[in-house]
Amino acid sequence: RVQQGHGLMFTVGPAFWGAAVGDPYVSDVVALLHFNEADGTATPASVLGSPTVSNDGSGSAPATNAVKSTSARFGAGGWLSAGGGTGLKVSETTGAAAPYTIEFFFNPVTFGAFGRFFNVASSGSGVDFGLAAPAGSVKYVDVTGTNQNTTGTVSTGTWYFMAVCFDGTNVRVYQNGTLIFTSSAFARGLSSTTVTLGMGCSVGMGGADGTASFDELRWTHGVDRSAGGTTPPATPTAEFPNS
């Protein structure tokens, strides 16, 4: 927006929505999980939207798949430990708008043979896509379960900010604000269907054997926060804002 006054002209850009200064797209957020619950919580709550949250590991492996309250990514908050084929599922029925943005922090603990640590599935169509890190090399897992190479690499014991943005035509994957993958051929719309995000677990996709720490999951439906690749999502320096 251009403002004038006293002979001055300047442009006011979009808010820095990676930091806690307010989110201009808060009404489009269908899930926001901070993982700040008590240690051992198996089904953390979403502070925005009304997704269904379930935990594959709450019965079989609660020590592995639960909120942890020590060594948080930000301040005194918590984080989610998940993986080994069981983890957290976040489901929501989406509207008709095609663009979306899915963001979260990821800290690999073990990679596993397949290294799949995150995937997305839709009712009626099955697996849409996933992310994997076999031997530390980040892969975009397409709808057929095939690994597509990216330029990203990760190491155990390090936090990474991952963002998947879809503008209606192209999917883009960012790691710490850097574009590591883009494709139209493997892009998947998530419109007018029940969509499930799997953190550390398999949602219709085998080989989800990586284990990791997760934090700050935000799912925005109807908005590509990268603006078609022109403004890569910056790595947040604080928890995502609630308003």
Side-chain angles (χ1 to χ4, degrees), residues 1-13:
R1 184 174 67 246
V2 177
Q3 297 183 352
Q4 290 180 291
H6 302 288
L8 299 177
M9 179 178 292
F10 58 93
T11 300
V12 179

Coordinates of all heavy atoms in Angstrom, one line a residue, residues 1-13:
R1 N 0.8 -1.2 0.0 CA 0.0 0.0 0.0 C 0.9 1.2 0.0 O 1.9 1.3 0.7 CB -0.9 0.0 1.2 CG -1.9 1.2 1.2 CD -2.8 1.0 2.4 NE -2.2 1.2 3.7 CZ -2.0 0.3 4.6 NH1 -2.5 -1.0 4.3 NH2 -1.4 0.5 5.7
V2 N 0.6 2.2 -0.8 CA 1.3 3.5 -0.9 C 0.7 4.5 -0.1 O -0.5 4.8 -0.2 CB 1.5 3.9 -2.3 CG1 2.2 5.3 -2.4 CG2 2.2 2.9 -3.1
Q3 N 1.4 5.2 0.8 CA 0.9 6.3 1.6 C 1.7 7.5 1.3 O 2.9 7.5 1.1 CB 1.1 5.9 3.1 CG 0.3 4.7 3.5 CD 0.4 4.4 5.0 OE1 1.1 5.1 5.7 NE2 -0.5 3.5 5.5
Q4 N 1.1 8.7 1.3 CA 1.7 9.9 1.1 C 1.4 10.9 2.2 O 0.4 10.9 2.8 CB 1.2 10.5 -0.2 CG 1.7 9.8 -1.5 CD 1.1 10.4 -2.7 OE1 -0.1 10.4 -3.0 NE2 2.0 11.0 -3.5
G5 N 2.4 11.8 2.4 CA 2.2 12.8 3.5 C 3.5 13.5 3.7 O 4.6 13.0 3.7
H6 N 3.3 14.9 3.8 CA 4.5 15.8 3.9 C 5.5 15.5 2.8 O 6.7 15.6 3.1 CB 5.1 15.5 5.3 CG 4.2 15.7 6.4 ND1 3.8 17.0 6.8 CD2 3.6 14.9 7.3 CE1 2.9 16.9 7.9 NE2 2.8 15.6 8.1
G7 N 5.0 15.2 1.6 CA 6.0 15.1 0.5 C 6.7 13.8 0.4 O 7.5 13.6 -0.4
L8 N 6.3 12.8 1.3 CA 7.0 11.5 1.4 C 6.1 10.5 0.8 O 4.9 10.5 0.9 CB 7.3 11.1 2.8 CG 8.3 12.1 3.6 CD1 8.4 11.6 5.0 CD2 9.6 12.2 2.9
M9 N 6.7 9.5 0.1 CA 6.0 8.4 -0.4 C 6.7 7.1 -0.1 O 8.0 7.0 -0.2 CB 5.9 8.5 -2.0 CG 5.1 7.3 -2.6 SD 5.0 7.4 -4.4 CE 3.8 8.8 -4.5
F10 N 6.0 6.2 0.5 CA 6.7 4.9 0.8 C 5.7 3.8 0.7 O 4.5 4.0 0.7 CB 7.3 4.9 2.2 CG 6.3 5.2 3.3 CD1 5.6 4.2 4.0 CD2 6.0 6.6 3.7 CE1 4.7 4.5 5.0 CE2 5.0 6.8 4.6 CZ 4.4 5.8 5.3
T11 N 6.2 2.6 0.6 CA 5.4 1.4 0.5 C 5.4 0.6 1.7 O 6.5 0.3 2.3 CB 5.9 0.5 -0.7 OG1 5.9 1.3 -1.9 CG2 5.1 -0.8 -0.9
V12 N 4.2 0.2 2.2 CA 4.1 -0.7 3.3 C 3.9 -2.1 2.9 O 2.9 -2.4 2.2 CB 2.9 -0.2 4.2 CG1 2.8 -1.2 5.4 CG2 3.1 1.2 4.6
G13 N 4.8 -3.0 3.2 CA 4.8 -4.4 2.7 C 4.0 -5.2 3.6 O 3.4 -4.7 4.6

